[in-house]
Amino acid sequence: MVIKIQLNKRQELIVEIVKENGPITGEHIADRLNLTRATLRPDLAILTMAGFLDARPRVGYFYTGRSSTQLLTDSLNNIYVKDYQSIPVVINESISVYDAIVTMFLEDVGTMFVVDKHALLVGVLSRKDLLRASIGKQELATVPVNIIMTRMPNITMCTKEDLMIDVAKKLIEKQIDALPVVKEVESGVEVVGRITKTNIAKAFVALADESY
């Protein structure tokens, strides 16, 4: 859905005319602005598609009563995790902290998801976890990641049907960089994707690009 958040002066005038006189035909709107119907056609199309106005055949245009803020809220409530999730980086709970550090470096990620031998989610490993482990005196090649990871049930998760705005709130609330996208199976949950701050930024940038 295309949203025109910032209207030009003529579009603002059209909205005011329709708000005060609707329903009103395109011809009557054009007469009030001393313009031709053809000249107004693109503006009316934008305002209708954006949700500011609605139109009915043989009746005309009428104001929907929705503000730019309401339209933006509607847009945010139509962006889902499944549209922007990326491929997760998954490691087994038995690998060493050293191997996890190498994997994180090679994959260039800030968070990895830890699974058991049945491919079920059992933990989350962040840069902070690995940094804390590295500062200690323990031998990283012999310490398994399941010693330092965040374990279930203390993992914040989401599903592909969740709204991106809700996931963004979770990231802010928990002060974390990524969430696993999961699906429930009989014996637990499987990781099917990930949502990071970068994914959310891409979604909101895409929304902004559609606003012009």
Side-chain angles (χ1 to χ4, degrees), residues 91-97 100 114 125 143-149:
I91 58 175
N92 189 274
E93 63 179 338
S94 63
I95 76 166
S96 70
V97 172
V114 186
L125 199 62
V143 178
V145 293
N146 60 15
I147 300 296
I148 66 168
M149 69 186 186

Side-chain angles (χ1 to χ4, degrees), residues 105-122:
F105 176 78
L106 293 175
E107 296 289 345
D108 192 23
V109 294
T111 304
M112 297 187 295
F113 308 116
V114 186
V115 299
D116 62 14
K117 62 182 180 180
H118 303 295
L120 299 176
L121 178 66
V122 294

Side-chain angles (χ1 to χ4, degrees), residues 46-140:
I46 288 171
L47 292 170
T48 302
M49 289 188 294
F52 288 98
L53 305 181
D54 203 349
R56 293 177 183 171
R58 295 184 296 278
V59 174
Y61 293 91
F62 59 92
Y63 181 57
T64 62
R66 304 169 81 186
S67 66
S68 296
T69 300
Q70 289 171 317
L71 293 169
L72 177 59
T73 299
D74 289 345
S75 296
L76 291 174
N77 287 330
N78 279 288
I79 304 176
Y80 292 92
V81 166
K82 61 185 176 183
D83 299 320
Y84 287 93
Q85 70 182 52
S86 52
I87 299 173
V89 177
V90 177
I91 58 175
N92 189 274
E93 63 179 338
S94 63
I95 76 166
S96 70
V97 172
Y98 176 82
D99 288 336
I101 292 173
V102 172
T103 301
M104 183 170 282
F105 176 78
L106 293 175
E107 296 289 345
D108 192 23
V109 294
T111 304
M112 297 187 295
F113 308 116
V114 186
V115 299
D116 62 14
K117 62 182 180 180
H118 303 295
L120 299 176
L121 178 66
V122 294
V124 172
L125 199 62
S126 70
R127 284 196 186 101
K128 291 180 181 179
D129 296 325
L130 294 175
L131 178 60
R132 279 194 294 266
S134 301
I135 292 174
K137 297 181 180 180
Q138 50 198 346
E139 178 55 49
L140 300 182

